[in-house]
Amino acid sequence: MGTETYITVPSFFKCPISLDVMRSPVSLCTGVTYDRASIQRWLDGGNNTCPATMQVLRTKEFIPNLTLQRLIKAWSDSVGRYAAASPPPDPTLKEVNESLRRLSLEKDDEIRLEILVRFVKDSDANRAFLSARKDLVPMLVDIIAGGTRTTTRIKLVLLAIKILDSITNGGSEGDRKRLSNLMLTNGGGDCLTAILLAIQRGKLESKIESVRVLEVVSSFDAKSKLLIAERDEILTEVIKSISTESDPTLIEASLSFLITIAKSKRVRSKLIAAKTITKIKDILLTEETPSVAVTEKSLKLLETLTSKREGRSEICRGDGGRCVEGVVRKLLKVSTTATKHAVTILWCLCYVFGEDKRVKETVERSNGVTKLLVVIQSNCSPMVRQMAKDVIKVLKVKPSASDLVAYETKTTHIMPF
């Protein structure tokens, strides 16, 4: 290989649509930032949702993110002598086909994988082309399974995971089943060990890609979820990633994976025992506002964990009810989806089970009564509004004069999300 210098671009400088460094970052009403040209093409195509969160947009107007633009400019200036260098030329279809034909012959595999990485990142058409190659995924899985032998092999693993992440996200159920069987049935232990090493030793981008691949692998059936969850080290590393100090994209990917595997009752118990609820509480209470997607996924995972008695006990009794306070804080503050999850959590804790009076006291103390009154008059679904009524009913508290004043004020300015 040559001696070219490659620049690692901070993930939040990249447009979620084009994956390129943003030239003119603008933020939608959902709080997600895109490059102006990319999001304009998306909206001009007749779409009315946020591409990252798939929320319906209440307005298609966007606001220039001047702070991020200044950060990108400062970063670009600091690496200017490298950024000005010409990137490697896009690989030709002939080079790609030759790389596929000779892949896994051991010699020069790193060069061939890098050709495929550049090709797959170039366009959706390229990703579709490689996804259709039925021989590619088995070869990538073989590379991952053999990736724990040497440092050189670990580099191959990271490249193989990068390609898998690009071609399997959004794949069909058949594709997910095939990948799951390949990674978990045939030498699955080696594959999971290699992915664990990628999460532990890889750079930020590799960690995110590894967690996303794990989610795809675990999404097929209950058995795949259990096989992955039984690897305690993997759970430990992913749960560690939802720290408030982690990169937002890594937090979101980790939460999404944990939500997927938490569909299994046995996995929920493992997540609760691993203090996942404490991590979620920290996200909900952090002074720095998390992204809409991170907040929604945090609440969704917490809602899932309330189905277990030990989960409810951890939420109610841990750290003086601070987790419940965090849930109340997010009512009407983030999105319709976040409010739905928050109300459902309170409904489970107060109405369905109601085994701890401290939860009710925390809801009242955190101005929850006023917020629930507003939810009843909001544009949330009838089911969510009914759950809010149920919670108020079991609180057995007559709204105070200040509650009613706040209620009347807020119902004239209900957030349309």
Side-chain angles (χ1 to χ4, degrees):
M1 293 188 64
T3 59
E4 298 96 339
T5 301
Y6 295 93
I7 304 300
T8 300
V9 181
S11 60
F12 57 96
F13 287 179
K14 298 180 183 178
C15 173
I17 297 175
S18 67
L19 301 180
D20 293 327
V21 176
M22 289 182 276
R23 295 175 181 271
S24 178
V26 294
S27 299
L28 290 181
C29 59
T30 55
V32 183
T33 299
Y34 302 91
D35 190 54
R36 183 186 293 271
S38 296
I39 192 60
Q40 192 64 64
R41 281 195 299 271
W42 170 266
L43 297 175
D44 290 347
N47 298 293
N48 67 340
T49 56
C50 172
T53 67
M54 295 315 293
Q55 288 178 250
V56 176
L57 300 171
R58 68 174 185 272
T59 173
K60 292 186 178 181
E61 295 179 357
F62 35 69
I63 301 171
N65 192 329
L66 300 179
T67 300
L68 183 57
Q69 190 167 27
R70 284 193 293 270
L71 289 172
I72 293 173
K73 173 70 165 56
W75 172 82
S76 297
D77 290 346
S78 70
V79 297
R81 67 190 183 92
Y82 298 117
S86 299
D90 292 336
T92 64
L93 198 57
K94 179 180 179 181
E95 289 177 305
V96 170
N97 283 323
E98 179 66 12
S99 296
L100 288 168
R101 187 178 70 82
R102 299 181 63 82
L103 194 61
S104 291
L105 296 179
E106 298 290 337
K107 184 180 179 182
D108 295 332
D109 266 357
E110 186 174 346
I111 296 174
R112 297 189 187 101
L113 286 171
E114 287 185 340
I115 287 173
L116 295 180
V117 166
R118 297 206 311 274
F119 180 76
V120 82
K121 283 190 168 293
D122 187 58
S123 68
D124 289 338
N126 289 358
R127 286 187 280 278
F129 172 79
L130 286 185
S131 296
R133 291 291 300 251
K134 299 301 181 185
D135 57 337
L136 176 59
V137 171
M139 286 191 290
L140 294 174
V141 171
D142 284 343
I143 289 170
I144 293 171
T148 57
R149 299 172 197 160
T150 64
T151 303
T152 303
R153 296 293 301 184
I154 293 297
K155 292 179 182 177
L156 301 184
V157 168
L158 297 180
L159 291 168
I161 289 173
K162 188 180 292 290
I163 298 167
L164 272 181
D165 176 52
S166 295
I167 66 176
T168 56
N169 266 308
S172 67
E173 183 178 345
D175 291 337
R176 293 196 303 272
K177 178 180 179 181
R178 186 161 169 259
L179 178 60
S180 181
N181 285 336
L182 284 168
M183 294 197 79
L184 299 179
T185 304
N186 303 324
D190 291 337
C191 282
L192 292 181
T193 298
I195 290 180
L196 173 62
L197 287 174
I199 296 173
Q200 291 174 328
R201 301 181 187 177
K203 295 182 179 179
L204 175 61
E205 192 172 7
S206 295
K207 293 177 188 288
I208 295 168
E209 291 159 351
S210 299
V211 173
R212 288 199 296 233
V213 168
L214 279 177
E215 182 183 357
V216 172
V217 172
S218 66
S219 65
F220 176 62
D221 58 15
K223 182 180 178 182
S224 62
K225 294 173 178 57
L226 285 172
L227 283 172
I228 293 175
E230 284 171 358
R231 298 295 294 266
D232 290 339
E233 288 180 294
I234 289 179
L235 283 190
T236 298
E237 288 297 325
V238 176
I239 292 170
K240 189 190 302 180
S241 296
I242 60 175
S243 162
T244 53
E245 299 176 357
S246 296
D247 175 84
T249 306
L250 177 59
I251 296 174
E252 184 181 346
S254 300
L255 286 168
S256 188
F257 164 66
L258 294 175
I259 289 167
T260 297
I261 63 174
K263 292 173 184 175
S264 164
K265 291 181 180 179
R266 286 170 59 186
V267 176
R268 285 176 222 163
S269 295
K270 291 180 72 70
L271 294 179
I272 293 164
K275 299 299 180 183
T276 306
I277 290 172
T278 299
K279 294 284 190 179
I280 297 173
K281 176 208 69 180
D282 292 341
I283 290 174
L284 298 179
L285 291 172
T286 183
E287 293 301 321
E288 294 183 14
T289 305
S291 70
V292 171
V294 165
T295 303
E296 288 177 348
K297 286 179 167 61
S298 296
L299 290 167
K300 181 176 177 61
L301 180 56
L302 190 63
E303 177 189 330
T304 302
L305 299 180
T306 58
S307 67
K308 301 287 289 184
R309 182 181 57 78
E310 60 267 37
R312 296 191 298 274
S313 177
E314 182 72 19
I315 294 170
C316 297
R317 299 169 191 171
D319 201 10
R322 292 278 286 161
C323 189
V324 176
E325 180 185 334
V327 172
V328 175
R329 280 190 188 185
K330 300 306 176 185
L331 281 171
L332 301 167
K333 289 290 186 181
V334 183
S335 66
T336 302
T337 299
T339 293
K340 172 195 166 190
H341 292 313
V343 171
T344 305
I345 292 166
L346 297 178
W347 183 73
C348 287
L349 297 175
C350 297
Y351 183 79
V352 178
F353 299 100
E355 62 249 37
D356 197 315
K357 67 178 183 179
R358 283 174 290 187
V359 176
K360 300 173 185 177
E361 293 170 355
T362 302
V363 174
E364 295 171 23
R365 187 177 64 249
S366 305
N367 198 32
V369 174
T370 300
K371 291 187 173 184
L372 289 166
L373 284 168
V374 177
V375 169
I376 293 170
Q377 295 296 320
S378 73
N379 64 343
C380 290
S381 69
M383 180 183 72
V384 173
R385 295 200 299 269
Q386 183 57 53
M387 286 192 292
K389 290 179 183 178
D390 291 339
V391 175
I392 290 176
K393 187 188 305 180
V394 298
L395 289 177
K396 295 179 181 178
V397 59
K398 184 177 180 180
S400 65
S402 59
D403 284 331
L404 293 174
V405 170
Y407 165 64
E408 290 171 359
T409 302
K410 289 187 178 182
T411 51
T412 61
H413 301 88
I414 294 174
M415 293 178 66
F417 297 113

